[in-house]
Amino acid sequence: MSGFLGELIGTMILIILGDGVCAGVNLTKSYAKQSGWIVITFGWGLAVAIGAYAVGQFSGAHLNPALTLALAAIGEFPWQQVLPYLAGQMIGAFLGACIVYLHYLPHWRATQDPAVKLGIFCTGPAIRQNWANLLSEIIGTFILVIAILAIGANDLAKGLNPLIVGFLIIAIGMSLGGTTGYAINPARDLGPRIAHALLPIAGKGGSNWRYAWIPILGPILGGVFGALSYQTFFLGHATIYFWVFSALLLAVILAAFISDEHLKSISTQQTIAQSLEK
């Protein structure tokens, strides 16, 4: 099996089980409805573990563009294989979301809230604030990549790594996932969001494309920074790339903060103007 096909199949399994648990917990008339956040985090953790067990021997089971780019950034993965891996991950995520749609087919019409339907496919913020949401995704993926590299550096029993990474996903979800739904994976969010936009889901609303850049950019920035930080502080191999990327990361967060404050100021001025007109 090629790396491309391995990433496609592994990511598809990841999304079938991950989006599947979101559907089970949230869709009307599902037996699992309202079983809660802990069930969702365990579902996603096991989804990652099973996807990794399925294809780890063929592709290394990245299943995440942020991880692929992070490994390439520190020389642990060849750049010439990056595009095929990213393509496999995106296609697999899209197909996985389509399978979840088909599996829960009668439940879409029975569920009234369009936001609930969208939340099964992709993430969204609990409180909309772009710079803070971006920071949440950066931190979550930073922890993900550093922890994966640290797990790999330990001498564990053969075949145990995917299960430990699954528990890592659960830990991130429980501790950090309450702000944005912890995409920490651009393919996990973008592939299903495209599926939501294209599929004939009964009673669906918009796909919230205004927010979609955050679970793409945030994980990529956090993942690469995590890998460079691991290389610098854990391995003692500091490079100029770490400092350049650190500056870039701060600049992006600052730009998002300034943009948010500017939009808030415009909104306040519009509110005052409307009040004066009355």
Side-chain angles (χ1 to χ4, degrees), residues 8-18 47 50-52 54-55 92 96:
L8 189 156
I9 292 173
T11 310
M12 183 175 68
I13 292 171
L14 164 66
I15 297 301
I16 290 171
L17 298 178
I50 299 304
V55 302

Side-chain angles (χ1 to χ4, degrees), residues 26-245:
N26 290 289
L27 287 176
T28 301
K29 297 188 178 179
S30 162
Y31 284 135
K33 185 171 174 59
Q34 296 181 339
S35 49
W37 185 248
I38 292 177
V39 170
I40 288 175
T41 57
F42 265 85
W44 274 105
L46 292 172
V48 169
I50 299 304
Y53 276 123
V55 302
Q57 61 182 312
F58 304 109
S59 71
H62 297 183
L63 315 184
N64 183 343
L67 180 57
T68 299
L69 290 168
L71 294 176
I74 59 171
E76 294 294 325
F77 186 72
W79 279 104
Q80 61 266 29
Q81 293 188 41
V82 167
L83 285 181
Y85 268 55
L86 300 189
Q89 292 155 3
M90 283 298 304
I91 295 169
F94 175 82
L95 293 176
C98 292
I99 291 170
V100 171
Y101 163 73
L102 292 173
H103 182 81
Y104 284 95
L105 196 57
H107 293 263
W108 305 107
R109 192 171 300 280
T111 303
Q112 298 302 313
D113 189 349
V116 168
K117 298 173 187 179
L118 177 61
I120 288 159
F121 290 89
C122 52
T123 62
I127 298 175
R128 179 67 182 270
Q129 193 171 44
N130 285 345
W131 78 270
N133 303 148
L134 181 67
L135 184 60
S136 289
E137 290 293 336
I138 289 171
I139 292 171
T141 319
F142 172 83
I143 294 296
L144 173 71
V145 170
I146 277 192
I148 286 175
L149 291 171
I151 290 166
N154 282 272
D155 187 16
L156 302 174
K158 185 177 180 180
L160 191 58
N161 286 45
L163 184 60
I164 301 299
V165 172
F167 279 109
L168 168 63
I169 300 299
I170 294 168
I172 293 173
M174 288 184 176
S175 301
L176 305 175
T179 54
T180 61
Y182 78 123
I184 58 174
N185 181 339
R188 170 266 175 274
D189 193 272
L190 182 57
R193 195 182 296 269
I194 293 171
H196 176 272
L198 297 178
L199 289 170
I201 302 167
K204 72 175 180 180
S207 300
N208 196 12
W209 289 107
R210 290 181 61 189
Y211 178 77
W213 66 275
I214 290 175
I216 297 172
L217 181 62
I220 291 172
L221 292 175
V224 172
F225 187 61
L228 290 172
S229 297
Y230 184 86
Q231 184 183 58
T232 299
F233 298 110
F234 287 68
L235 303 181
H237 181 50
T239 67
I240 188 63
Y241 299 112
F242 170 77
W243 302 109
V244 171
F245 199 85

Side-chain angles (χ1 to χ4, degrees), residues 258-272:
I258 292 171
S259 176
D260 269 4
E261 291 301 306
H262 178 64
L263 291 174
K264 189 188 299 183
S265 174
I266 292 174
S267 177
T268 301
Q269 292 173 7
Q270 290 175 341
T271 302
I272 293 172

